[in-house]
Amino acid sequence: METKIEKLEGNVVKVDIELPAKEAIEYYNNAARRLAQYVNIPGFRKGKAPRNIVEQHIGEERIKHEALESALPKIFSDVIRENEFDVVAQPYVESYDFKVGENLKIVAKIELRPEVTLGEYKGVTVKVDEYKTPEDAFQKSLDNLLEQSATTVVVTDRKSEANDIVVFDFEGFANGEKIEHGDAKNYTLDLANSSFIPGFAEQLVGKPLGEDFEINVTFPEDYHEKKLAGAPAVFKCKINEIKTKVLPELNDEFAQKVGPFKTVDDLKADIQQYLDTQKADIDRTNSEKAIFEKIVSDAKVEIQQSMIDREADQLVAEYKQKLEMQGFTWEQAVEAQGYNEIMNSLKEDAAVRVKNSLVIDKIAKEENITVSQEDFSAKLTELSRMYQIDAQTMVKQLSQTPGVFNALSQQALNEKVTQFLVENNTAKLK
């Protein structure tokens, strides 16, 4: 086999391939024999008809196509190996000249991995903003524990207050029409923790039991239903029940109920330890991120658009899956956010992910960082614990998804390279 290599723009090489007629005809004859097994030819058993008879029934072009399908994997494999190409996508045929009895000529293009030029990636110092635990974090944590153990008492002798829970009926109208799914009977709402339209819960404060009243609100401009976005609305309401929260007393008995504590002081010490650990975790995560981003930003690489487009396609698939899990569709997301806005955002993310991956692979190559069987097994164990599935079942489930093992292996490599960068660079908190 003879090849001629020509480098093109965008990390693509053009390969002119010429396969000797002897090898080409062998692929052609084998293809004819395979196809003959699936064709009924009068006077011949399946697979026993001579080549010229098979050609009359199914045509040379179909046989040539079958022959190429068989030949190309080995041809491309040989070309890639002999030229030590680092490919990032499946090679594709631009044209071919296949005449039976003559040399097979193929013009193909192969997309190569971009060359990465690393900056300094060891001995680098970066400054990171130190995380400051909010001054009220301790008290909020304590209050949240008390809230979680709160009981409710029905009140009948006063109007609703801002910290109450109300059970009420409502019916909404906008643009002169009743709002679809905008009504309910005996709906329970915590007025202090409402996710309703802004201003809705606030207008339920100061209202008596059993009386009809109206609330006027405006839907947010970015509301997911286009016809309601920015629209004024009226809700007819009636409160059927008012409940007030009763917090438990903060004492040793309460501490013993909420955890393995003997006293309130033990509980408070545990909260403080949690906040300290949280701060340390955030500082560590921010430091790792800052080091990685510095190394990536200092690296130089020209990434072809095709790599970004393929990564964007993967992100679109992930985004659609995420939407489905949340009960939405791609069409709803496009209607709410706009197709161009979504795609531009995903393509930006794709460009970042591609560069990150290229830099990680380059550092791994330079430092001989590899993923061992133990690393891969640890990743599977981590997943099995996360989803509470035994490792063997996890492997069976993952094997049904193409490429998932490669993705896991890449994830393990990412973590090892990140750890290498953390150990060989310095982050100073400021």
Side-chain angles (χ1 to χ4, degrees):
M1 181 175 67
E2 295 182 2
T3 58
K4 178 184 175 183
I5 309 297
E6 179 185 354
K7 289 187 177 181
L8 305 178
E9 293 182 353
N11 298 309
V12 174
V13 292
K14 176 185 172 185
V15 186
D16 290 292
I17 303 167
E18 190 163 345
L19 191 69
K22 183 179 178 182
E23 294 182 39
I25 196 64
E26 187 176 344
Y27 280 113
Y28 183 86
N29 289 336
N30 289 337
R33 281 192 289 270
R34 282 195 303 274
L35 291 172
Q37 296 176 7
Y38 302 99
V39 179
N40 290 317
I41 300 177
F44 297 94
R45 287 181 296 163
K46 281 188 177 181
K48 298 300 181 180
R51 195 185 83 184
N52 65 320
I53 301 298
V54 175
E55 288 172 339
Q56 292 174 16
H57 277 75
I58 63 178
E60 278 191 8
E61 289 306 313
R62 185 177 174 188
I63 299 173
K64 289 176 183 178
H65 181 77
E66 175 73 15
L68 282 171
E69 288 287 323
S70 175
L72 287 175
K74 184 178 187 309
I75 291 173
F76 285 146
S77 177
D78 290 344
V79 170
I80 291 168
R81 185 183 66 255
E82 290 170 7
N83 292 277
E84 298 182 344
F85 287 150
D86 188 359
V87 302
V88 294
Q90 185 72 23
Y92 59 94
V93 174
E94 193 172 66
S95 63
Y96 66 88
D97 183 6
F98 195 170
K99 295 183 176 67
V100 178
E102 298 182 12
N103 290 353
L104 169 59
K105 297 176 183 178
I106 300 170
V107 178
K109 287 185 177 177
I110 303 177
E111 189 178 341
L112 305 181
R113 182 183 299 273
E115 183 60 37
V116 178
T117 303
L118 294 172
E120 293 294 331
Y121 65 93
K122 291 186 285 189
V124 175
T125 299
V126 296
K127 293 182 179 180
V128 184
D129 288 332
E130 182 179 6
Y131 174 74
K132 297 293 185 183
T133 303
E135 292 182 2
D136 60 351
F138 180 88
Q139 189 59 48
K140 279 188 174 181
S141 297
L142 200 54
D143 291 345
N144 284 340
L145 279 175
L146 292 169
E147 283 276 349
Q148 291 169 16
S149 299
T151 55
T152 57
V153 175
V154 176
V155 295
T156 57
D157 58 349
R158 63 169 174 80
K159 297 178 180 180
S160 59
E161 295 179 356
N163 290 318
D164 285 338
I165 297 171
V166 298
V167 180
F168 71 113
D169 303 336
F170 64 89
E171 186 176 23
F173 300 85
N175 301 317
E177 299 177 354
K178 183 178 177 181
I179 298 172
E180 187 177 2
H181 307 304
D183 63 296
K185 295 287 187 182
N186 290 321
Y187 188 91
T188 300
L189 182 66
D190 185 344
L191 298 182
N193 300 284
S194 168
S195 59
F196 271 33
I197 306 165
F200 190 104
E202 290 81 352
Q203 295 183 61
L204 288 173
V205 176
K207 295 296 189 288
L209 282 167
E211 292 187 12
D212 294 321
F213 59 92
E214 292 184 352
I215 284 177
N216 293 282
V217 294
T218 301
F219 281 92
E221 293 290 341
D222 60 351
Y223 195 67
H224 64 272
E225 283 192 46
K226 286 285 187 183
K227 65 180 181 180
L228 294 177
V234 177
F235 284 84
K236 296 180 179 180
C237 305
K238 182 175 73 172
I239 295 178
N240 302 321
E241 193 173 58
I242 300 173
K243 301 177 183 179
T244 186
K245 296 177 186 177
V246 179
L247 299 180
E249 185 180 348
L250 181 60
N251 53 27
D252 292 347
E253 183 181 354
F254 171 75
Q256 292 162 12
K257 284 183 179 179
V258 297
F261 314 112
K262 292 183 179 180
T263 66
V264 171
D265 288 340
D266 293 341
L267 170 60
K268 290 181 176 180
D270 186 73
I271 292 174
Q272 188 59 55
Q273 183 182 12
Y274 168 78
L275 293 174
D276 292 342
T277 301
Q278 182 188 56
K279 169 184 162 42
D281 288 343
I282 292 173
D283 281 338
R284 184 180 65 253
T285 299
N286 289 344
S287 295
E288 290 178 359
K289 182 180 178 183
I291 290 172
F292 184 77
E293 288 180 347
K294 171 64 176 172
I295 304 305
V296 171
S297 68
D298 287 349
K300 306 299 180 186
V301 55
E302 292 185 9
I303 304 170
Q304 55 264 41
Q305 187 61 42
S306 54
M307 287 188 73
I308 296 173
D309 291 342
R310 284 193 296 272
E311 188 67 28
D313 289 342
Q314 177 63 33
L315 285 177
V316 168
E318 293 174 9
Y319 184 51
K320 287 181 178 180
Q321 187 178 28
K322 184 178 179 181
L323 286 171
E324 186 178 343
M325 291 173 64
Q326 295 174 342
F328 295 97
T329 65
W330 167 256
E331 289 73 22
Q332 287 174 319
V334 168
E335 183 181 355
Q337 301 174 53
Y339 178 81
N340 290 336
E341 284 75 9
I342 294 175
M343 291 307 301
N344 288 338
S345 175
L346 291 178
K347 284 185 178 180
E348 287 178 10
D349 291 344
V352 171
R353 278 178 41 161
V354 170
K355 185 176 182 181
N356 288 351
S357 178
L358 290 170
V359 172
I360 285 172
D361 290 347
K362 180 67 173 180
I363 294 173
K365 185 177 180 180
E366 291 291 322
E367 298 296 332
N368 196 28
I369 300 172
T370 58
V371 175
S372 65
Q373 183 60 46
E374 290 75 15
D375 297 327
F376 191 77
S377 297
K379 205 70 194 164
L380 286 175
T381 301
E382 179 185 325
L383 279 178
S384 65
R385 286 175 180 169
M386 183 185 301
Y387 294 103
Q388 298 182 339
I389 302 174
D390 65 88
Q392 191 173 6
T393 303
M394 175 65 70
V395 170
K396 285 184 179 179
Q397 291 185 357
L398 293 179
S399 62
Q400 297 173 9
T401 307
V404 70
F405 289 113
N406 286 337
L408 280 178
S409 183
Q410 183 64 47
Q411 193 176 66
L413 182 65
N414 294 352
E415 292 172 1
K416 292 188 75 170
V417 170
T418 300
Q419 184 60 33
F420 170 84
L421 293 177
V422 169
E423 292 172 354
N424 287 275
N425 296 284
T426 304
K428 288 187 176 181
L429 297 175
K430 64 182 178 67

